Amino acid sequence: MILEKCIGAQRSRRIQRALRHGKVTILCLVLTVVVLRGTIGAGKFGTPEQDFLEIRDHFYSRKRAEPHRVLEEVQTTPSDPNNYNAFDINKILKDEEGEEEKPDPNKPYTLGPKISDWDEQRSKWLEQNPNMSNFMGRNKPRVLLVTGSSPKPCENPVGDHYLLKSIKNKIDYCRLHGIEVFYNMALLDAEMAGFWAKLPLIRKLLLSHPEVEFLWWMDSDAMFTDMAFELPWERYKGSNFVMHGWKEMVYDDKNWIGLNTGSFLLRNCQWSLDMLDAWAPMGPKGIRDEAGKILTSALKGRPVFEADDQSAMVYILATQREKWGEKVYLENAYYLHGFWGILVDRYEEMIEKYHPGLGDHRWPLVTHFVGCKPCGKFGDYPVERCLKQMDRAFNFGDNQVLQIYGFTHKSLASKRVKRVRNETSNPLEVKDELGLRHPAFKAVKKLTYSRIACNISNCRIACYLPPPKYNQ
């Protein structure tokens, strides 16, 4: 009342209102400090001065945090031994120094010592080792699938990922069909690099594994796309070399793409060793250019480039048919090799109209990405197209495996999967639509015997038990 008399009622009410607002402001400030102490850690030393400094640093650091973090990474990354991005991969890719063994230029190239009695040696070994039969059933030979890649990483960062997909695909097919796998990353003969590196490897494996009846070579850029197709082994009883191809194109037209050597079967016998010896002379580095000219002039449609294994095989068969042709089977009833460019875009149509197990144009056994070269720097086709189509081919084959376990890819372009079958408490009663969980072609009949005998007929060694008794 005294204040009102001195300064007037209206001014007195203004002062009282200001004081009330001031109290509310101070209260809010106190609450703010309390909240900040709990959220940003201020006050851990218990002094107002430290509280103020930490609050100041907190708000100031928010403005400079991102540049500081980037600068810190730039300063510390090069010296961080745990950082893969900063590591110079060339440090471990560099080979040990040493002189390479150079071939004698005055001696003709050979894959190894001449062997002329391999059938006899192998027959004797099989007879002495009855537990390592070359046949797993009457019409089921023991097969070794061989593939590989360079000992160095791919020349582009994504190539190794697609190599991994490719070998995973091959392992799946071989596991389902009772086939062993050999993956090679070693260059066994420096003279036979590139296209030709497979020949020394194949010869070494044939001689090291007499129990193997057929060796199945497959390029790293080829994938199985029919997981249910079993090869018609009975058809090849009288053949030693099976390739995808056409007789007319090879023998009559001498067309350099009349057959494909990216996926083939080779029987383990003397005939095959002789074929490898005849195949190899165009492969050494020193003569490839001249040999390439010979092949280009002799074969229809062949461009000018160094000698390759496929052209050389066409040349051998076309010029020496009487010697080799009888034991060569050019298969085209199914796709032992299928060119990706005419297949991959039709996968959805195949799914709608057909089913796995056909192996031919309706559902190809193999899709081969010839010309894509996913491990190199440059290919013959656009990179994006190749990689997308390789993903589709992988998923197309992978869906046939995943369905065994109740899953499938969301689409042929998707890495993600979806469930297509509900879980059950009776999993053994679930029907396997494709019959891949326990296929008949994977079953191995056990033999009981007292003695074993081996016969050699037309380079085909058949080990049998007189009389055979089969236990399922």
Side-chain angles (χ1 to χ4, degrees):
M1 300 297 258
I2 299 174
L3 186 62
E4 288 181 2
K5 291 180 180 180
C6 294
I7 62 176
Q10 186 176 4
R11 183 172 293 180
S12 174
R13 284 194 296 274
R14 290 178 180 174
I15 293 175
Q16 289 176 358
R17 190 182 300 114
L19 291 174
R20 285 196 300 271
H21 290 170
K23 291 178 181 179
V24 174
T25 301
I26 293 172
L27 179 60
C28 290
L29 179 61
V30 171
L31 291 175
T32 300
V33 171
V34 171
V35 171
L36 289 174
R37 285 166 64 93
T39 58
I40 64 174
K44 60 186 176 182
F45 291 102
T47 63
E49 180 181 8
Q50 184 64 35
D51 287 353
F52 172 75
L53 292 174
E54 291 200 12
I55 292 173
R56 185 195 66 184
D57 290 343
H58 173 73
F59 286 106
Y60 177 70
S61 65
R62 291 181 63 181
K63 297 180 181 179
R64 64 181 179 88
E66 188 66 21
H68 175 71
R69 183 180 65 82
V70 173
L71 179 61
E72 186 177 43
E73 286 186 358
V74 172
Q75 291 174 343
T76 59
T77 294
S79 60
D80 186 357
N82 299 333
N83 190 319
Y84 281 94
N85 289 330
F87 181 72
D88 182 7
I89 192 67
N90 292 316
K91 290 182 179 179
I92 62 172
L93 293 182
K94 186 178 180 181
D95 261 337
E96 295 180 0
E97 295 183 0
E99 292 186 3
E100 293 185 0
E101 183 179 350
K102 295 182 179 181
D104 187 346
N106 298 319
K107 293 183 179 179
Y109 177 82
T110 62
L111 290 171
K114 179 64 178 177
I115 297 176
S116 56
D117 62 342
W118 176 239
D119 287 344
E120 289 75 15
Q121 290 189 49
R122 181 168 175 253
S123 177
K124 183 177 180 180
W125 186 94
L126 289 170
E127 190 171 352
Q128 294 173 346
N129 295 272
N131 293 329
M132 298 293 290
S133 174
N134 55 330
F135 277 81
M136 302 170 69
R138 284 197 180 275
N139 295 313
K140 177 69 174 179
R142 187 184 296 275
V143 181
L144 177 65
L145 186 133
V146 183
T147 187
S149 59
S150 169
K152 293 183 179 180
C154 289
E155 294 180 318
N156 69 75
V158 76
D160 291 300
H161 175 66
Y162 283 87
L163 285 178
L164 179 62
K165 281 190 168 186
S166 180
I167 186 58
K168 191 269 185 192
N169 166 270
K170 293 178 177 67
I171 290 172
D172 280 339
Y173 180 88
C174 291
R175 175 175 53 83
L176 293 171
H177 291 260
I179 296 174
E180 297 179 35
V181 180
F182 185 94
Y183 193 93
N184 182 60
M185 295 181 66
L187 182 59
L188 303 187
D189 189 334
E191 286 296 300
M192 301 286 277
F195 305 115
W196 299 90
K198 67 183 77 165
L199 268 62
L201 173 65
I202 289 172
R203 185 179 191 271
K204 179 61 68 175
L205 291 174
L206 291 177
L207 298 177
S208 300
H209 295 283
E211 76 280 8
V212 170
E213 182 65 17
F214 272 107
L215 184 147
W216 187 346
W217 171 266
M218 184 175 285
D219 285 353
S220 61
D221 58 356
M223 294 188 192
F224 286 105
T225 41
D226 190 341
M227 294 291 175
F229 186 82
E230 172 78 355
L231 266 60
W233 299 108
E234 183 76 12
R235 186 183 301 174
Y236 308 134
K237 273 187 174 181
S239 303
N240 298 328
F241 200 0
V242 183
M243 294 173 284
H244 189 85
W246 296 265
K247 289 183 178 180
E248 298 79 9
M249 291 184 67
V250 172
Y251 298 120
D252 299 336
D253 300 340
K254 297 182 181 179
N255 194 309
W256 81 291
I257 56 172
L259 57 79
N260 185 272
T261 54
S263 174
F264 62 79
L265 305 169
L266 188 65
R267 191 184 295 276
N268 193 351
C269 65
Q270 182 64 49
W271 184 97
S272 297
L273 297 184
D274 295 340
M275 169 57 83
L276 291 173
D277 288 340
W279 196 2
M282 289 189 177
K285 291 180 180 179
I287 66 170
R288 287 188 196 176
D289 290 336
E290 289 302 316
K293 295 177 182 178
I294 295 174
L295 294 175
T296 297
S297 63
L299 302 181
K300 180 180 178 180
R302 188 184 191 273
V304 179
F305 66 101
E306 67 177 18
D308 65 296
D309 61 316
Q310 179 171 302
S311 299
M313 180 51 60
V314 175
Y315 182 80
I316 290 172
L317 295 182
T319 58
Q320 304 177 48
R321 182 176 184 177
E322 293 183 0
K323 182 176 182 180
W324 305 107
E326 183 182 355
K327 295 298 179 181
V328 174
Y329 196 105
L330 295 179
E331 180 66 81
N332 50 61
Y334 65 91
Y335 280 22
L336 186 60
H337 145 84
F339 178 57
W340 65 279
I342 62 174
L343 296 174
V344 183
D345 287 329
R346 296 181 47 242
Y347 283 161
E348 283 82 3
E349 176 189 350
M350 297 174 191
I351 294 172
E352 183 179 350
K353 294 183 178 180
Y354 306 111
H355 56 81
L358 300 172
D360 55 17
H361 65 281
R362 296 168 294 176
W363 201 290
L365 171 63
V366 174
T367 300
H368 191 183
F369 287 85
V370 179
C372 277
K373 304 174 184 177
C375 199
K377 289 183 178 179
F378 301 96
D380 300 330
Y381 300 93
V383 173
E384 183 178 4
R385 181 188 175 201
C386 280
L387 297 184
K388 283 184 176 180
Q389 299 293 61
M390 291 182 78
D391 282 334
R392 283 171 54 82
F394 174 82
N395 290 344
F396 186 71
D398 199 40
N399 279 344
Q400 298 163 54
V401 177
L402 290 175
Q403 63 84 30
I404 301 173
Y405 311 104
F407 293 88
T408 186
H409 287 272
K410 290 194 171 184
S411 73
L412 292 182
S414 176
K415 298 176 179 62
R416 301 177 65 187
V417 299
K418 62 181 179 181
R419 189 182 298 277
V420 294
R421 186 173 65 234
N422 293 328
E423 295 292 338
T424 174
S425 58
N426 298 306
L428 297 181
E429 297 179 2
V430 175
K431 183 180 179 181
D432 177 17
E433 295 182 0
L434 300 181
L436 289 177
R437 188 185 305 168
H438 303 293
F441 50 70
K442 191 177 180 182
V444 177
K445 294 181 179 180
K446 295 182 179 179
L447 303 174
T448 58
Y449 52 86
S450 56
R451 64 189 181 89
I452 187 169
C454 297
N455 285 345
I456 303 174
S457 177
N458 293 326
C459 199
R460 182 174 183 266
I461 301 175
C463 294
Y464 63 93
L465 309 167
K469 297 179 182 179
Y470 293 95
N471 292 334
Q472 294 291 342

